[in-house]
RNA sequence: GGGCGCGUAGCUCAGUUGGUUAGAGCACUGCUCUUACAAAGCAGGGGUCAUCGGUUCGAGUCCGAUCGUGCCCA
């Protein structure tokens, strides 16, 4: 790209349309960035590394606002670091989403009248890969629309060979260390997905069910138990009571008859039974309830499984073949007919677990599964945060993290699926169990077979921060980019994913945490703070908004709503507002270009600059420092707001307007202002770029002739703070605003000029007569000037002549309102200063402040009184 | 049932360690097509900071209770 000189830029500005058209520039710019290799991270670089791994989206997923939000945050962090000179890696990729993906492909097969069993395991997996190639990973293309600065050469997938090798390696290591084991327990079984799921994949919700009280046994030897799952009574193997419960003491150790089955079951005493709840007696179904399973273990009770994998009754005569809900009614009916029902409560609202994937009611099921012994891993994961090696933002989220890692149950990692990493364990004919590492040969020969199950998807995504970099090989990438810098993700997967990465990362990488900071964000909600959901009808496709308002508008809206750890409401009107902001930036820069703003040559020294120029450079410096500090603290909402107000309120509304006066006058001052205007926009565009990359890139390359903002330097404060200039311009703004307010109250048309006499000599405003006249639309005082009102500010005096046409009541209202406000301040200050307690206990600083306020208020009252006195009668 | 958070303008939210007349965006009202921008400009209206009590010279901010609401865990 060639250098663009200012005149050429001005010419180019003429060709810029008066409205920013995002769709015309976005795709073009993105492809240019990728082609230029800006997003590629080089392990051989001398620069310090900055790494963020993408929270891997699901291969079946498509872009939703949650992604757009998270990616906006990550993209802005990495873009800023890249500008700061870091070797920046934003690692892209996806996870294989075992259950979700298998479901998608099974549904496709079902349309052809096939099941996965018809195809067989190998052919089915082949089919999944085929599906992935054709329609998986839609989201990756959508990420380009968002402007994500990821290194596409490094795209990874959890089922890739290298990542699979990582999974097998860590499985083997954990197995050898005794941290993975196989055991028969009660697990959460989804009768629709036909697999076990982990505790945290169960969602509890209050459902309407029934509570049925059933009498077991006969006469004196009878006990009433209550249940919400009557069908499980077929598998009861005991009734349990509390050991101290007098009511049942005589029955402990005896057997009573289980209705409908004729089986006799023991009455056992177990301290975990709550004698206060219900009748104080509980039925015990070890094969179908986690608590009962434990009671069964303690009392060596048999387990009787009565439901199959689809939750259909497996035996027991008339009930065989009924599903669990049909069986429930049928069994209650049968018990009722038998006179066994003592009480029925319906509806009975109670908490019921559902599969987080498909919402089917979970059926606790006793089965043999693989487990991770999380104790030592979770301890290390907790300690890393406790001792400060890993920081959680916002800090309040730490307690949730600790509460979880410190009370963790072992993690069930086997899934009865075909799509996923198959458990690398082989069973021999003599009952041998062999765990096979990635470089081992599986045992061959008659009778050996591999475990049928695959691993939980979180098992592989827990390795993501280092498996994507080549682990277990000691690659240059791993050397350079691990540990990663920051993990940006939603608080909702703190347990699902973050904790897994912490546990595996610390274990696999010899105690090095996978990231030093965890920056948690909230969920995107609608403009009324409601959760977005398809069924509620308030879900929004971010692509629609990007089409309508531009990617930058969406990104800015999301960033501006991102208060740490809190949910982000977003509405279309707000995206429109951001679009307006982008358009404002566009037009302000267009104005600058048309007026010869330049970045050529050094910025003139302060002595050669006007107060206005020194003021905006001072404000710019302050903004650079503020935005920079907020970035370090992940305060996206605040930094976006700071940029919004600086750009719009200070640069566009005041500096650009003030610069017009200087530019029109011409001469050396105009030349200096062109340079300052160019500089201010240059720096402002750099500051905005990480959040709104497209519009800033388009404008900045035109303004500066530079190659690209993506690789431009991030601004730093330049030591141009100037308190005197800031105070002087603040006074100027005050005068102009006061006059405008007067004009508004008087009902004057915006364009109407008003004769005015300005007495500014010797005051802060001495040099600003021209801007005051221009901005407040005041014309010179002519012969016969008669002041209708006056504005004494900072020693200066502005008098206006309305040719007798003044609306006296309106002016009186305005002045009286001001006086009332000042009176209120005076009263409050007087009260404080008359208070002994205040004078003796408040700090001298505060007391002095209040004294100053009182004086100012009294001066105002005096001044306004005078103005009121001078108003004509009427 | 246990734990955590929240309740500030019509809506969505800021509000550092207590200390000017409590702020922003959007929405609303009035006047303007002023030659960068009507997707704009200028000005304006709008809040007894959920309620009650307490601590303090002073409370939106700290403490307690109540009501409402959301989330996590069981």
């Amino acid at each position: 790209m060639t250098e663009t000189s200012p005149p050429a830029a001005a010419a180019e500005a003429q060709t810029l349309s008066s409205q920013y058209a995002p769709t015309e520039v976005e795709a073009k710019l993105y492809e240019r960035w990728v082609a230029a290799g800006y997003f590629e991270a080089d392990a051989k670089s001398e620069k310090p590394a900055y790494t963020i791994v993408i929270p891997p989206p699901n291969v079946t997923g498509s872009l939703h606002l949650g992604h757009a939000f998270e990616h906006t945050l990550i993209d802005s962090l990495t873009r800023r670091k890249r500008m700061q000179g870091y070797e920046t890696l934003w690692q892209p990729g996806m996870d294989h989403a075992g259950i979700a993906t298998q479901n998608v492909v099974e549904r496709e097969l079902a349309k052809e009248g096939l099941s996965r069993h018809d195809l067989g395991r190998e052919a089915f997996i082949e089919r999944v890969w085929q599906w992935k190639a054709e329609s998986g990973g839609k989201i990756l293309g959508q990420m380009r629309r968002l402007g994500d600065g990821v290194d596409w050469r490094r795209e990874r997938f959890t089922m890739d060979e290298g990542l699979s090798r990582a999974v097998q390696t860590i499985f083997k290591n954990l197995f050898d260390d005794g941290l993975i084991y196989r055991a028969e327990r009660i697990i959460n079984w989804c009768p629709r997905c036909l697999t076990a799921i982990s505790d945290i994949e169960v969602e509890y919700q209050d459902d309407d069910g029934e509570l049925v009280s059933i009498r077991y046994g006969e006469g004196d030897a009878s006990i009433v138990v209550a249940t919400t799952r009557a069908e499980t009574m077929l598998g009861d193997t005991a009734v349990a009571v509390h050991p101290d419960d007098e009511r049942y003491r005589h029955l402990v150790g005896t057997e009573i008859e289980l209705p409908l089955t004729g089986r006799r079951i023991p009455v056992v005493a177990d301290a975990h039974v709550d004698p206060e709840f219900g009748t104080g007696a509980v039925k015990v179904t070890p094969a179908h309830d986690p608590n009962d399973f434990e009671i069964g273990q303690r009392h060596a009770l048999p387990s009787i499984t009565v439901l199959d994998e689809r939750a259909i009754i497996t035996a027991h005569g008339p009930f065989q073949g009924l599903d669990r809900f049909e069986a429930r009614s049928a069994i209650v009916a049968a018990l009722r007919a038998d006179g066994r029902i003592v009480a029925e409560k319906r509806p009975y609202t109670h908490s019921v677990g559902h599969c987080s994937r498909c919402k089917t009611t979970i059926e606790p099921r006793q089965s043999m599964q693989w487990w991770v012994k999380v104790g030592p891993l979770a301890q290390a994961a907790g300690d890393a945060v406790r001792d400060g090696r890993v920081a959680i933002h916002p800090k309040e989220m730490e307690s949730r993290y600790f509460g979880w890692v410190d009370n963790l149950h072992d993690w069930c990692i086997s899934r009865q699926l075909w799509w996923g990493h198959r458990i690398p364990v082989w069973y021999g004919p003599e009952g041998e169990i062999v765990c096979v590492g990635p470089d081992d040969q599986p045992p061959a020969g008659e009778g050996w077979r591999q475990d049928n199950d695959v691993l939980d998807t979180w098992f592989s995504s827990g390795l993501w921060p280092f498996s994507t970099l080549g682990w277990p090989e000691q690659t240059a990438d791993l050397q350079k980019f691990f540990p990663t810098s920051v993990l940006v993700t939603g608080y909702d997967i703190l347990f699902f994913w973050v904790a897994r990465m912490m546990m595996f990362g610390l274990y696999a990488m010899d105690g090095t945490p996978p990231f030093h900071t965890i920056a948690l964000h909230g969920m995107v909600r609608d403009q009324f703070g409601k959760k977005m959901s398809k069924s509620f009808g308030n879900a929004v496709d971010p692509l629609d908004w990007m089409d309508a308002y531009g990617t930058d508008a969406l990104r800015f809206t999301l960033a501006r709503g991102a208060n740490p750890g809190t949910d982000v409401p977003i509405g279309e009107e707000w995206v429109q507002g951001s679009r307006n902001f982008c358009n404002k930036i566009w037009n302000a820069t267009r104005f600058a270009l048309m007026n010869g703003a330049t970045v050529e040559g050094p910025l003139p020294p302060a002595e050669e600059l006007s107060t206005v120029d020194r003021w905006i450079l001072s404000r710019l410096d302050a903004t650079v420092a503020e935005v920079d500090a907020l970035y370090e603290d992940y305060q996206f909402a605040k930094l976006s707001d700071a940029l919004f107000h600086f750009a719009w309120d200070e640069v566009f509304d005041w500096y650009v307007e003030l610069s017009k006066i200087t530019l029109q006058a011409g001469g050396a001052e105009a030349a200096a202002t062109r340079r300052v205007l160019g500089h201010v926009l240059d720096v402002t565009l750099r500051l905005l770029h990480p959040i709104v990359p497209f519009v800033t890139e388009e404008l900045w390359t035109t303004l500066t002739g530079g190659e690209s903002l993506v690789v431009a330097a991030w601004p730093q404060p330049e030591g141009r703070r100037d308190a005197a200039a800031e105070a002087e311009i603040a006074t100027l703004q005050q005068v102009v605003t006061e006059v405008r307010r007067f004009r508004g109250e008087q009902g004057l048309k915006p364009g109407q000029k008003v004769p005015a006499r300005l007495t500014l000599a010797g005051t802060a405003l001495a040099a600003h007569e021209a801007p005051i006249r221009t901005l407040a639309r005041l014309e010179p005082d002519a012969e016969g000037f008669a002041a209708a009102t006056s504005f004494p500010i900072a020693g200066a005096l502005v008098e206006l002549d309305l040719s007798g046409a003044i609306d006296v009541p309106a002016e009186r209202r305005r002045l009286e309102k001001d006086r009332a406000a000042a009176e209120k301040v005076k009263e409050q200050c007087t009260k404080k200063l008359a208070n002994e307690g205040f004078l003796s206990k408040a700090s001298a600083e505060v007391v002095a402040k209040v004294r100053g306020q009182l004086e100012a208020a009294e001066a105002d009252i005096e001044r306004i009184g005078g103005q009121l006195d001078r108003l004509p009668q009427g």
Side-chain angles (χ1 to χ4, degrees), chain A residues 603-606 609 614 617-619 621 679 718-722:
Chain A
L603 212 49
L609 293 173
R614 281 183 282 117
L617 290 171
S618 177
R619 296 300 309 138
D621 240 20
H679 179 73
E718 298 167 314
R720 291 183 179 270
R721 293 303 299 274
D722 186 333

Side-chain angles (χ1 to χ4, degrees), chain A residues 71 97 178 186 210 222 289 370 419 505 522 595 618 678 718 766 783 809 839 871:
Chain A
H71 291 200
I186 292 277
E210 59 184 28
S222 71
D289 183 278
W370 285 94
W419 176 239
N595 285 278
S618 177
E718 298 167 314
E783 237 176 297
L839 292 176
L871 275 181

Side-chain angles (χ1 to χ4, degrees), chain A residues 611-612 614 723-733 763-768:
Chain A
T611 312
V612 170
R614 281 183 282 117
E726 290 201 22
E728 194 170 317
I729 300 305
T731 307
L732 166 65
Q733 291 174 322
T763 73
L765 298 174
H768 301 300

Side-chain angles (χ1 to χ4, degrees), chain A residues 569-581:
Chain A
I570 185 168
E572 184 160 8
E573 287 159 350
W574 307 347
V575 184
Q576 277 171 20
S578 299
R579 182 267 317 258
N580 296 355
F581 178 51

